[in-house]
Structures are given as structure tokens and as C-alpha cells.
Amino acid sequence: MNILSPKQQEIVENTAGAMLVLAGAGSGKTRILTARVRYLLEQEKGHFRVLALTFTNKAAEEMESRLTGIKDLKKRAFIGTIHKFCLEIIKSHGNVIGIVKMPHIFESEEVRKKIVEELFESNIKLKVYLENKRSEKEKNDLISRGLNFISQKKREELILPGDESFHALHEDQQVLYKEYNDLLSSQDAMDFDDVLILAYRIFIERPEVANLYSRLYKYVCIDEAQDLNFAQYEIIKAMCLGRHDNILMVGDPNQAIYGFNGADEKFMLVNFKNDFNAVKVVLKENYRSSLEVIRAANRLIPGSIDEENVKIKGGFSLKDFETEETEAKWVVAEIKELIEKKNIEGIEGEISLQHIAVLARNKYVFKYLEKELEKNRIEFFYKTIYKTSQCESDFMKIFDLGTRILTNPLDRIHFSQIRELLQIENQPDGNLDDGLKKLCSLKDKIKDNELKQQYRVLIEVWSILAKEENQYTKALEKLEAYTQGIRNKKNMSQRALILEDIKDLKDLWRKFLIQMPAGNRTLQSFKTHVALGITDTTKKQSGLTLGTIHSVKGLEYDIVFLIGMTDGTFPDYRAVKKGGKAIDEEKNNAFVAITRSKRLLYITYPKTKFMPWDNSTPYPQKPSRFLKKFIINND
């Protein structure tokens, strides 16, 4: 059991009133939150539940794993993301705002863009904007901007059609916003942002429901509070303000890097402090990194981490190279040398690729490094941010889309995608009230013989699910048996893709069954869990980690290389153009990258680069503006 410092113990045991903990990198944030939940459940008397909100499902799983041994944990505490919590609110109380059954989630950006595109093509007011765009790129940009506008208004203003904020929009913006929501509603659907909006509506329009939740969840703990956006903060406020203030928010403003999602540290630093009169506690101790790594972090953001009582010195170096290629060659050579050393002070066990991560602001920075790693036969993988499950093979894409139609015959967008994959021209929708009949209506319109054969098998499988949703494993096994029978050589690569997709879906379903009580194991619930990342079976990968900063937030490595540190790359050129807050967030990105290192840190940059439009002329590069203090100290 981890021993807490006196300051950490004080936070854990302070159970009355609002508290804001500014927890620096490596200060034991997860340990504090976990210990507090344990303390509340084991020491505090009374009938109540604890609400512990995390920003990733992975963080929630980690917290749960640290709380093993607590009797009836799932009954006594909700540990999960705010989207998952809001989903529970809608399921339980959606009827008070007219939601008779849970809407389906349209999580894919591609699908939501199709809705916006449909609006621009069908609405007379909006069509003018589309007709003024000459190229496909201009049209796609318009559609992307339209979708971003809708998401921004939902996340950052919680706009509801008909309210004061809605009427403040320009007339054409009102049309776009309202008709987008109407199109979702007509297909019995909602998007990610609606999960927050609907829960907020329930609390605001029915205060008795907010009262019920505030009495039930007597204690609230919020992780990564610097990443709260307006909608998320307002939901917490609607539930607690004026009812109870037993809220603990833990966050680090120096790690605020999700401004593009509407997140803003002001909700933690200003709004929460003012609304709930929160007591502020600052934790600067670092229990993760070596002295040299901490000093590097403090050069970037002075005074962010205490340097006292750090026992392991570690190492830091800053290097420049003539080109990206020579930079990549040096990084690979250094990695090989570190592994050959086998043992380094402060690192447990022999050094392996699993101890090391190479980080960059954007994925394109890895271009030369990837070539060098392949040349030297060094195993590597890209650390990715969790995305909703997507099948790779067309066969399984059609199966997966078909399960959506089974549960939601009103879903025109995904039905249209099935038609595209089957190479069937658009036609009026039929059999809207029966998903299976709707799917069967396509079989005689398929012209390709191979597709026809595949579709017959899919109909058999969908028929099984139409009778009994819990037969998902049986359905997948039938598809697996059919695929195993493919012997045509030209289809062998397709066969491998299909089998891999089936395996992934089996794993997701298996995890879903473990998480859900028997009565809630429906196909719709399964799709919702997958969409929100609640049912995630991210595979463990081996080798050297390559990752962008956003993909490794919350992780730690013994050895970190931060490459490509030139102005315009890190900070990103778009942030340089915007300036102000965008640059501050880029600095936070660099801080997050540095503090992923536990022992050794290397920062590198090339003095010249070749541009995508000119592979013959090396363009001079300036070192990142974030390295000014490093370079002075290095001289």
C-alpha cells in the first residue's frame, strides 16, 4: 500500500466542502484520488455513493483496479467518464424531457459530416454557400466548418434550439443548427455532444432529478479538471450548486492541452473557486521523475515542480542536427547504445524498447525516424488515442452497419453506407418499421455475384440477431465458419482481414458481457458502449513507442526522446499563426512531453528541413521558442 505524504493525507481526509488541488506532474494525483474514494467508502458513515469522474475509460479502469477489495464497489461508487455518467442520467430519467427510449449514438465524424452535407444540399438557404465553392476541397472545408460550428455551440454554449442563445445566432446559423439536430432526431439519434446536452436539460428542466442525484452522490471527485469544458462544468454545477459542495477537483493548468475540444482551465481555476468557494491546495512534489528531468520542466515553466528531496539525478541533453535524417540516425544509434548498456541507475531491470518512447508534436515528424528504425530492424508501434471500433474489411463493415439498422430502422445514414458498399444506387427507403425487412430489401438489387453470395450469409446472421440479440457470439461464429471456407487465392488477404475483424468484435462483446448485467445486454447498448470507448480492448503492443503528445498524456516512460523541436513544428505552425492562448497551450504540450520521462530525457531538432513541395532545397529552421532557456543554459 502506497504511503501518503502529510499533505496528501490531509486532502484525502478532508471530506467537507469544496477543494481544488493543483497537482503538478508526478505529484501522485491518481494515488490521492484513489485513496480518497477508498477513505470515503471505508470511513465515512451513512448511505451515499461516490461519484469519481475521469477523462478516459483507461483512467477509470486503473482507479477501479486500485480499489479492489472494497465490498460492492460498483454499487457504492460510479467511476467513469462524464459522458458515461450522463448516459446513465438519460437512461434513468430521459422520460422527464420526452425521451421515451435511448437515442442511438452517431459517433463517426464521417457520418455527422454526411448529415451536414445533406443539409447544405437540400436547404435553399444553405445551398447557396455550397454552390459558391468551386473545388471539392472548398466544399469539404465548408462542411467541416459547419460541423465544427455545431459542436462548438453545443460544447461551449449548451445552445438549445429556441432558447435565447439560439436566437442570438445569425439566421442561417440557426437553420444549420436546428436542422442538423432535427435530422438526428428524425433518425432516433444523437451525437457525442448531445449526451451532455440532454443530461444538462434533465437537471435544469427538472430540478427534482438534480436533487435526487446530489443526495445520492454526496461526494464528487473530478480528475484532470483542467480539461473541463463549459458543458461538462455546467452539468456538475447544475447537480451540486446550492445542494452540496463536497467536491474535489484535481488538475494541473500546465497540462491543459485540449483547447480544441473547448476545454479551459478557467472552469477549474476561476469558476469552481468562485461558485463553490473552493479551498486551493498546491502540490509541487514529484514522485516520478529524476532531478534533471524536473529541472528541464522548470526551465520551460519556472517553479512548476519542487526540486527538493529528489534522489535520482537522471539525465538530460539537448542536441541539434543538420537535417531530419541525421537527427533520426542519431536517435536510433542512441537507442541501440542504451539497450546495449543493459542497466542504468534508477531504471529497474534491463533496458528494453518497452522502456523508451520517442515523442513529437505531429505524426509527420516521424517520417525519417520510421525509415531508420525499419532499416535497423527495430520493432516499433504508434501509440494511438482510443477511437471507436471500425472494421477493416467491407464484409464486416456491412455486417456491423446492418446491426445498427436492426436496432434502428430509422437510421438512413448508415443504411446509405450499406448501399454504397453493395454498389447499389440510392433509392427511397422502405420498411422503416422493420430493420431486417429493410436489409432484406437490398438483396435482389445487388449485381455483383460474389457480393450477392456474401449478402445471403449476412442476412442469415442478421436473422439470428433479429430473433435474439444475445446470440451475437453465435452470429460471429457463423461468419467465421463461412470465412474459413474461403479458399480462392485472390481472396486470401480479404479472408485474413475478415477474421481479424471477427476476433476484434468477439473481444469487444466478451468485455461488454462482463461489464453489463444480463437484462441490459442489447445490441444498442453494445454499440453505445463501443462508441463511448467503455468497451475497449486495446491490444498490448511491443517495441519502441512512437507517439504524439496527446496520445501519451497520462503515461510515463523511463527514457524519452522529444524530436523535431523547431518553430512551426513545435509550437505547431497553426498555433504560431493564432498566437496568444494557442501558444500557451503548445507550451503545455511541451511540458506534458518532458514530464512523461522518469529518468532520461533527450530533446533534438534539425537545423534544416525539406518541405513536401520541395525535396531538393533544405530550408533553414529556427529552434523552438520553447528552447530559448535550454540553449542559454546549454552554452
Side-chain angles (χ1 to χ4, degrees):
M1 184 176 176
N2 289 321
I3 298 171
L4 299 170
S5 71
K7 209 170 189 181
Q8 289 174 331
Q9 193 68 44
E10 185 184 335
I11 294 165
V12 167
E13 295 180 6
N14 184 48
T15 58
M19 181 179 282
L20 170 61
V21 178
L22 300 183
S27 61
K29 172 174 60 69
T30 307
R31 188 191 310 168
I32 292 166
L33 284 165
T34 307
R36 182 176 169 85
V37 173
R38 184 179 288 279
Y39 180 85
L40 291 169
L41 294 176
E42 291 182 343
Q43 303 299 326
E44 287 295 297
K45 306 296 181 189
H47 297 286
F48 62 85
R49 294 190 81 199
V50 174
L51 177 62
L53 296 177
T54 64
F55 271 77
T56 65
N57 293 294
K58 186 174 178 294
E61 287 178 6
E62 185 183 344
M63 189 178 285
E64 281 189 1
S65 71
R66 293 190 187 195
L67 290 167
T68 51
I70 293 180
K71 190 179 178 183
D72 296 328
L73 177 63
K74 286 190 181 293
K75 290 180 181 177
R76 300 174 64 201
F78 179 99
I79 301 171
T81 65
I82 196 160
H83 276 84
K84 184 181 177 184
F85 177 58
C86 289
L87 203 66
E88 294 298 317
I89 296 167
I90 300 165
K91 278 182 184 174
S92 301
H93 301 281
N95 62 300
V96 301
I97 57 167
I99 298 172
V100 180
K101 62 172 186 162
M102 193 72 187
H104 301 257
I105 294 181
F106 282 7
E107 75 278 9
S108 159
E109 185 176 1
E110 178 193 356
V111 165
R112 288 180 286 127
K113 277 184 178 178
K114 280 186 181 294
I115 295 174
V116 175
E117 183 180 4
E118 189 176 312
L119 288 177
F120 275 107
E121 287 175 346
S122 61
N123 186 280
I124 297 170
K125 283 179 178 287
L126 300 178
K127 197 169 188 176
V128 177
Y129 293 98
L130 197 63
E131 287 172 344
N132 287 336
K133 305 299 177 186
R134 295 180 182 178
S135 69
E136 277 302 307
K137 185 182 182 305
E138 285 180 328
K139 289 178 180 179
N140 289 333
D141 286 347
L142 175 68
I143 290 159
S144 292
R145 288 201 307 275
L147 181 60
N148 288 339
F149 167 78
I150 293 164
S151 289
Q152 183 188 21
K153 292 303 172 188
K154 289 185 178 186
R155 285 194 305 257
E156 298 179 21
E157 297 182 42
L158 278 169
I159 287 181
L160 304 171
D163 67 12
E164 193 175 323
S165 301
F166 174 75
H167 289 299
L169 298 175
H170 183 275
E171 187 181 347
D172 291 347
Q173 291 175 335
Q174 289 183 26
V175 171
L176 176 64
Y177 193 80
K178 183 178 185 302
E179 293 207 5
Y180 171 85
N181 288 302
D182 287 347
L183 261 177
L184 279 176
S185 183
S186 72
Q187 296 177 73
D188 193 17
M190 61 180 174
D191 62 21
F192 274 132
D193 298 316
D194 290 328
V195 176
L196 301 179
I197 281 186
L198 293 176
Y200 176 73
R201 275 190 61 198
I202 291 167
F203 280 169
I204 291 298
E205 295 177 23
R206 293 290 185 271
E208 64 273 17
V209 178
N211 275 328
L212 174 70
Y213 276 84
S214 68
R215 287 197 304 271
L216 178 64
Y217 293 103
K218 186 179 172 184
Y219 300 101
V220 179
C221 304
I222 299 163
D223 189 14
E224 303 286 8
Q226 78 277 352
D227 294 331
L228 286 167
N229 63 29
F230 176 77
Q232 292 163 340
Y233 178 74
E234 287 298 311
I235 288 164
I236 294 158
K237 187 173 156 186
M239 185 177 97
C240 299
L241 190 61
R243 297 180 176 92
H244 80 66
D245 59 359
N246 300 325
I247 305 172
L248 171 71
M249 281 197 186
V250 182
D252 181 4
N254 295 330
Q255 296 189 60
I257 62 173
Y258 288 102
F260 61 88
N261 274 339
D264 197 320
E265 63 268 31
K266 76 177 183 184
F267 298 115
M268 168 184 81
L269 295 174
V270 180
N271 297 44
F272 175 57
K273 199 165 184 313
N274 293 341
D275 291 336
F276 291 91
N277 194 27
V279 174
K280 185 169 81 172
V281 178
V282 179
L283 293 177
K284 288 188 178 182
E285 299 86 358
N286 184 290
Y287 300 97
R288 175 199 300 155
S289 301
S290 65
L291 182 60
E292 288 297 313
V293 172
I294 291 170
R295 283 176 175 167
N298 282 334
R299 283 186 210 175
L300 184 66
I301 302 179
S304 57
I305 303 172
D306 281 348
E307 296 180 14
E308 296 175 14
N309 304 318
V310 181
K311 294 175 182 176
I312 297 169
K313 188 172 188 295
F316 165 71
S317 66
L318 171 66
K319 294 187 178 294
D320 59 54
F321 300 90
E322 287 304 317
T323 66
E324 288 179 284
E325 188 174 10
T326 53
E327 179 187 30
K329 284 179 184 295
W330 181 85
V331 169
V332 170
E334 188 68 16
I335 287 170
K336 288 168 77 173
E337 191 177 316
L338 286 166
I339 290 172
E340 283 170 15
K341 276 185 183 176
K342 291 189 177 178
N343 297 106
I344 293 175
E345 184 189 356
I347 299 177
E348 289 183 22
E350 289 190 0
I351 302 297
S352 69
L353 293 174
Q354 277 69 36
H355 290 89
I356 307 171
V358 184
L359 309 181
R361 178 61 182 86
N362 293 301
K363 194 174 176 182
Y364 69 80
V365 179
F366 294 114
K367 179 178 154 187
Y368 288 96
L369 180 67
E370 195 174 317
K371 286 179 184 175
E372 279 302 310
L373 290 169
E374 286 171 351
K375 194 190 297 181
N376 285 270
R377 296 183 179 178
I378 293 175
E379 188 181 11
F380 68 91
F381 69 94
Y382 281 100
K383 187 71 184 173
T384 55
I385 300 168
Y386 172 76
K387 291 183 179 176
T388 55
S389 173
Q390 289 193 343
C391 294
E392 296 290 331
S393 64
D394 285 353
F395 180 67
M396 291 306 292
K397 278 179 187 173
I398 296 170
F399 165 74
D400 198 42
L401 289 167
T403 61
R404 287 178 178 269
I405 308 307
L406 284 179
T407 60
N408 182 17
L410 295 173
D411 184 344
R412 291 187 296 103
I413 296 290
H414 292 102
F415 189 63
S416 173
Q417 288 183 325
I418 294 175
R419 282 199 298 246
E420 285 175 23
L421 289 166
L422 294 173
Q423 301 162 28
I424 297 171
E425 290 182 10
N426 267 357
Q427 57 179 315
D429 290 339
N431 302 310
L432 284 176
D433 60 340
D434 189 313
L436 184 60
K437 283 182 182 176
K438 192 170 178 178
L439 290 166
C440 288
S441 71
L442 297 176
K443 66 181 177 183
D444 296 327
K445 298 177 176 67
I446 303 169
K447 294 174 182 176
D448 182 270
N449 286 329
E450 188 179 345
L451 277 177
K452 267 186 182 177
Q453 171 59 29
Q454 289 182 347
Y455 201 71
R456 286 191 200 102
V457 176
L458 289 170
I459 286 175
E460 286 179 40
V461 168
W462 287 327
S463 299
I464 293 169
L465 293 174
K467 289 176 184 173
E468 183 52 66
E469 290 181 282
N470 278 332
Q471 295 298 310
Y472 192 76
T473 302
K474 182 181 176 182
L476 289 176
E477 284 172 351
K478 193 170 182 67
L479 292 176
E480 191 172 32
Y482 167 74
T483 307
Q484 295 283 12
I486 295 174
R487 290 288 176 263
N488 189 332
K489 283 187 179 178
K490 74 172 187 175
N491 290 331
M492 291 310 277
S493 57
Q494 181 195 30
R495 178 178 181 266
L497 269 183
I498 294 170
L499 291 173
E500 188 62 28
D501 285 339
I502 291 170
K503 182 179 179 299
D504 287 347
L505 288 176
K506 273 186 173 180
D507 289 343
L508 286 168
W509 180 255
R510 195 177 298 117
K511 187 169 181 182
F512 171 70
L513 293 181
I514 292 168
Q515 292 173 332
M516 291 300 292
N520 295 328
R521 293 170 182 172
T522 65
L523 268 181
Q524 182 183 349
S525 181
F526 173 58
K527 296 301 295 179
T528 299
H529 271 60
V530 172
L532 293 181
I534 301 166
T535 300
D536 177 14
T537 57
T538 305
K539 296 171 186 173
K540 285 187 178 179
Q541 293 170 295
S542 60
L544 176 72
T545 300
L546 305 187
T548 62
I549 317 307
H550 288 93
S551 72
V552 297
K553 189 170 184 292
L555 303 177
E556 53 190 49
Y557 303 88
D558 289 298
I559 302 163
V560 167
F561 291 82
L562 177 55
I563 67 171
M565 285 293 286
T566 60
D567 234 43
T569 301
F570 205 161
D572 183 85
Y573 69 94
R574 290 162 291 193
V576 172
K577 192 175 177 182
K578 286 181 184 175
K581 192 169 176 61
I583 291 292
D584 292 339
E585 188 161 308
E586 287 294 288
K587 184 187 277 191
N588 290 346
N589 262 304
F591 182 83
V592 168
I594 288 169
T595 54
R596 295 314 90 203
S597 174
K598 292 163 68 177
R599 297 295 175 259
L600 303 181
L601 172 67
Y602 302 84
I603 298 179
T604 65
Y605 65 93
K607 291 192 279 188
T608 62
K609 282 173 78 171
F610 293 104
M611 297 302 170
W613 59 88
D614 185 353
N615 288 322
S616 57
T617 310
Y619 284 77
Q621 299 294 302
K622 290 181 180 178
S624 169
R625 64 192 67 191
F626 302 143
L627 296 181
K628 283 180 181 176
K629 291 179 183 176
F630 293 81
I631 293 168
I632 291 167
N633 290 341
N634 234 38
D635 289 343

